[in-house]
């Protein structure tokens, strides 16, 4: 049954894994084009759910076109909070009233960092790592400079991620905020949210988590882990669409103490009173600023609904199985060509993508794309295989690895399904 | 021909104006539901262009669904700037490279105010008026408080708007920024952008204009009038849809000097390098922060295209004709019931809506909505008739006025078309 002499896993084995996949039916809930590619970048932009296409048409055509401005009283105004609650309870481990959706991840992150710094008088340092997602790093840099503070950079082992011990060595009575990505955008390392949050709290600092690469791919327990603040992207595993609005989480007890910096009418008590003087709306609505982006929010709602229906435990199990396969195939089929695994080998601390390192990663990525396999490249030397549990098949992993092997000169002509 | 004894204008005259309307055909370019209402709130939320419905389906289905992450290289990344240039040249009097679209109006306004204050060291005051749109007032209040500055409030005559003389009396060497709405959201008064900007400049302050109620309804000449900064909403006269992203303008010479506070990856040089250290992208891209909201931007693009095709001069001419009719009918049919015109009577300084004052404005608005006429209410006593030149007919104005007359006890049973 095994076609390749070098591997214990043939494409038929991958196909068998697909047949046994309890989530296989979910792939049919997404738009898959006729001229489809081997899509290994769902951690950058998730596929389009069929329900979203229908919902966008409904919200635009029937609600906006048909109900016009009345839509605000007929559900639109509740979207940021209703969607936040649904997302929080299904996927973030957050009780209602602590999550809201709106603004880009960058703007959400800015708001929460700024609010935290305001509540930490006399503390001027922010601890993060050089592996944090770029937009987070830039926001921190900007806010630190604006306030005369500084960013303390953890420069650890990439695949090992930020350990509680390494963070403990950097925090002090000067630390206002500790912030990391829960799942690293490059290595997929899962940080220990509970332990690092404790380290932050022991130093009297706030802990803010970026969940962009974990929401919808790994279980998250914000309330249980004691997180103070969190943000996350919705266009990756949550399928919200390109540039869809992000979410913010603020732990309930902090809501009344934190004040975000962008005082807009939607964050004000009784916004349509349009009165003089800003007073926060109270609760999670105080995090809002401008008018909610209704079409985008409706899209996110469908994506979240689908992920919640599949269930994060099943998604996590398949994410582990997909990444285990990718690593096994890399070891068996690519290691001889200089490709190494740059993600954790321990599945317990690995999210749903796999980083493969090779000195020619950039040109290899371009070669893969030319062959209809879409991963992405991350400088300096990483090919990232994003394995989206609801849409990526085990044969996609196999085909992606074989295409890379072909490019590296180990061609078996296997793309057609050896 | 005139059916009413009290008015010189009957519904037949309004209908004749519609037949002669050179923009009449544009109404067919919008979705008009079968159970349509008399919609007089297009200045709050513009109607849905048919092309937008098709475009949303195309961008979601074919681009997101079909091209997946490749969409970023196939046009999405250019949308904020390409759309900004189109909007700027067709409707804002702004040469290319100065306008960009993204984030809510509130966030855009926050960014520009913050950037201006940073460039005005030693100046702590912001001059605006109590008639400015609430979200602008709240943002100013928040930023002034955060920086130990203050807002100097102009409290003038509502319908007269902020005059250059009144502004001149408030500015000084302490003034960092002068900011007003170009068209007042309540009275529709058009501020003298050129003269007030000169007053600001003479005091060494920046001038920032909120174009939310003027973009797409009245001609704007940002470059010629010397404006430094501007923001505006796209879901009113520009038809971008509920909560669509806003635009920012920064005068070319200022672009290299101003630094907006939310340092995100899309505002950085070479964002996909993902390198350490923020460096502004340069030009108008430096104003961006997070990932562009692609679906929403595509919607705005269609709206802007339609408005540009109709032409702002024709739109302005019809806006004047519609508001003139509304005022004439108010004088003739409603004045006797205690309704007065709270917008400028001089068309040259009046935008495309009309504020009608009555002590029972709130309940009258509710009554109108129950009768299928949709204006909006603005505290304390204003019924606002928004007259969107591309979709509002002269008979809509007539029907709206007659419905209000009915409610006030002057019923002629005329809704059916007397």
């Amino acid at each position: 049954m095994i076609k390749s002499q070098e591997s214990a896993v043939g494409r038929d084995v991958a196909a068998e894994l697909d047949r046994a996949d309890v989530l296989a039916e979910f792939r049919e809930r997404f738009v898959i084009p006729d001229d489809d590619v081997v899509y290994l970048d769902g951690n950058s932009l998730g596929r389009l759910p069929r329900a979203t296409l229908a919902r966008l048409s409904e919200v635009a055509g029937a609600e906006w076109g048909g109900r016009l401005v009345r839509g605000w009283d007929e559900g639109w105004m509740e979207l940021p909070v209703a969607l936040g609650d649904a997302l929080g309870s299904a996927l973030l481990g957050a009780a209602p009233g602590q999550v809201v959706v709106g603004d880009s991840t960058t703007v959400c992150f800015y708001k929460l960092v700024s609010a935290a710094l305001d509540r930490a008088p006399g503390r001027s340092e922010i601890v993060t790592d050089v592996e944090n997602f770029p937009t987070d790093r830039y926001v921190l840099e900007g806010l630190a400079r604006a306030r005369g503070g500084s960013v303390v950079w953890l420069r650890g082992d990439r695949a090992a991620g930020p350990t509680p011990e390494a963070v403990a060595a950097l925090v002090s009575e000067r630390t206002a905020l500790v912030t990391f990505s829960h799942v690293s955008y490059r290595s997929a390392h899962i940080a220990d949210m509970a332990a690092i949050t404790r380290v932050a709290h022991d130093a009297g600092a706030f802990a803010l988590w970026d969940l962009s690469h974990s929401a919808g791919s790994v279980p998250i327990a914000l309330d249980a882990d004691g997180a103070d603040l969190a943000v996350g992207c919705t266009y990756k595993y949550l399928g919200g669409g390109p540039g869809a609005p992000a979410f913010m989480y603020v732990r309930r007890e902090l809501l009344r103490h934190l004040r975000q910096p962008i005082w807009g009418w939607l964050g004000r008590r009784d916004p349509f009173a349009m009165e003089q003087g800003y007073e926060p709306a109270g609760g999670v609505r105080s995090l809002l600023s401008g008018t909610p982006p209704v079409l985008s929010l409706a899209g996110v709602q469908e994506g979240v609904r689908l992920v919640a229906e599949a269930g994060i435990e099943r998604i996590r199990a398949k994410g582990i199985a997909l990444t285990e396969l990718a690593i096994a195939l890399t070891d068996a089929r690519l290691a001889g060509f200089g490709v190494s695994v740059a993600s954790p080998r321990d599945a317990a601390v690995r999210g749903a993508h796999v980083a493969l390192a090779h000195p020619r990663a950039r040109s290899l990525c371009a070669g893969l794309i030319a062959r209809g396999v879409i991963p992405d490249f991350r400088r300096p030397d990483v090919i990232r295989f994003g394995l989206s549990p609801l849409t990526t098949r085990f044969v996609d992993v196999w085909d992606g690895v074989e295409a890379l092997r072909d490019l590296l000169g180990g061609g078996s002509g296997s793309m057609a399904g050896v």
Side-chain angles (χ1 to χ4, degrees), chain A residues 57 88 128 198-199 222 250 270 280 299 312 400:
Chain A
S57 173
T128 192
R198 272 196 304 274
V199 169
L222 288 171
V250 173
D270 196 4
I312 194 64

mmCIF file of all heavy atoms in Angstrom, chain A residues 57 88 128 198-199 222 250 270 280 299 312 400:
data_model
loop_
_atom_site.group_PDB
_atom_site.id
_atom_site.type_symbol
_atom_site.label_atom_id
_atom_site.label_comp_id
_atom_site.label_asym_id
_atom_site.label_seq_id
_atom_site.Cartn_x
_atom_site.Cartn_y
_atom_site.Cartn_z
ATOM 1 N N SER A 57 -25.448 38.743 1.656
ATOM 2 C CA SER A 57 -26.467 39.143 0.694
ATOM 3 C C SER A 57 -27.753 39.559 1.418
ATOM 4 O O SER A 57 -28.398 40.541 1.052
ATOM 5 C CB SER A 57 -26.707 37.965 -0.254
ATOM 6 O OG SER A 57 -27.777 38.240 -1.083
ATOM 7 N N GLY A 88 -17.161 34.636 22.917
ATOM 8 C CA GLY A 88 -16.563 34.428 24.233
ATOM 9 C C GLY A 88 -16.955 33.093 24.839
ATOM 10 O O GLY A 88 -16.100 32.354 25.335
ATOM 11 N N THR A 128 7.336 42.139 26.311
ATOM 12 C CA THR A 128 6.831 41.294 25.227
ATOM 13 C C THR A 128 8.025 40.600 24.588
ATOM 14 O O THR A 128 9.149 40.722 25.074
ATOM 15 C CB THR A 128 6.018 42.099 24.202
ATOM 16 O OG1 THR A 128 5.321 41.189 23.338
ATOM 17 C CG2 THR A 128 6.910 43.015 23.362
ATOM 18 N N ARG A 198 0.133 34.606 35.762
ATOM 19 C CA ARG A 198 0.486 34.638 37.193
ATOM 20 C C ARG A 198 1.785 35.408 37.424
ATOM 21 O O ARG A 198 1.895 36.189 38.367
ATOM 22 C CB ARG A 198 0.616 33.213 37.736
ATOM 23 C CG ARG A 198 -0.691 32.616 38.252
ATOM 24 C CD ARG A 198 -0.450 31.384 39.119
ATOM 25 N NE ARG A 198 0.313 30.352 38.430
ATOM 26 C CZ ARG A 198 -0.208 29.407 37.637
ATOM 27 N NH1 ARG A 198 -1.520 29.382 37.423
ATOM 28 N NH2 ARG A 198 0.552 28.507 37.052
ATOM 29 N N VAL A 199 2.729 35.193 36.545
ATOM 30 C CA VAL A 199 4.006 35.925 36.658
ATOM 31 C C VAL A 199 3.748 37.431 36.572
ATOM 32 O O VAL A 199 4.290 38.220 37.358
ATOM 33 C CB VAL A 199 4.992 35.475 35.556
ATOM 34 C CG1 VAL A 199 6.192 36.412 35.493
ATOM 35 C CG2 VAL A 199 5.438 34.042 35.793
ATOM 36 N N LEU A 222 -9.839 32.184 28.960
ATOM 37 C CA LEU A 222 -9.464 33.505 29.473
ATOM 38 C C LEU A 222 -9.858 33.684 30.932
ATOM 39 O O LEU A 222 -9.042 34.103 31.751
ATOM 40 C CB LEU A 222 -10.111 34.599 28.611
ATOM 41 C CG LEU A 222 -9.524 34.785 27.210
ATOM 42 C CD1 LEU A 222 -10.399 35.729 26.387
ATOM 43 C CD2 LEU A 222 -8.094 35.330 27.278
ATOM 44 N N VAL A 250 -12.093 42.214 28.093
ATOM 45 C CA VAL A 250 -11.627 42.818 29.342
ATOM 46 C C VAL A 250 -12.303 42.069 30.484
ATOM 47 O O VAL A 250 -13.531 41.949 30.512
ATOM 48 C CB VAL A 250 -11.970 44.325 29.425
ATOM 49 C CG1 VAL A 250 -11.615 44.883 30.806
ATOM 50 C CG2 VAL A 250 -11.240 45.106 28.342
ATOM 51 N N ASP A 270 -26.022 56.248 26.385
ATOM 52 C CA ASP A 270 -27.103 56.872 25.626
ATOM 53 C C ASP A 270 -26.573 57.694 24.436
ATOM 54 O O ASP A 270 -26.747 58.915 24.387
ATOM 55 C CB ASP A 270 -27.921 57.769 26.567
ATOM 56 C CG ASP A 270 -29.277 58.151 25.978
ATOM 57 O OD1 ASP A 270 -29.612 57.656 24.877
ATOM 58 O OD2 ASP A 270 -29.988 58.947 26.606
ATOM 59 N N PRO A 280 -18.740 57.044 29.950
ATOM 60 C CA PRO A 280 -18.688 55.701 29.378
ATOM 61 C C PRO A 280 -20.046 54.994 29.499
ATOM 62 O O PRO A 280 -20.780 55.195 30.470
ATOM 63 C CB PRO A 280 -17.632 54.990 30.218
ATOM 64 C CG PRO A 280 -16.845 56.066 30.874
ATOM 65 C CD PRO A 280 -17.770 57.238 31.022
ATOM 66 N N GLY A 299 -20.701 38.936 8.888
ATOM 67 C CA GLY A 299 -19.825 37.901 8.340
ATOM 68 C C GLY A 299 -19.102 37.142 9.437
ATOM 69 O O GLY A 299 -19.045 35.903 9.421
ATOM 70 N N ILE A 312 -14.667 23.284 19.567
ATOM 71 C CA ILE A 312 -13.225 23.533 19.637
ATOM 72 C C ILE A 312 -12.439 22.279 20.017
ATOM 73 O O ILE A 312 -11.283 22.129 19.594
ATOM 74 C CB ILE A 312 -12.919 24.722 20.585
ATOM 75 C CG1 ILE A 312 -11.487 25.210 20.400
ATOM 76 C CG2 ILE A 312 -13.195 24.364 22.033
ATOM 77 C CD1 ILE A 312 -11.178 25.785 19.050
ATOM 78 N N GLY A 400 1.022 19.010 -0.246
ATOM 79 C CA GLY A 400 1.900 20.151 -0.007
ATOM 80 C C GLY A 400 3.337 19.712 0.226
ATOM 81 O O GLY A 400 4.283 20.280 -0.340
#
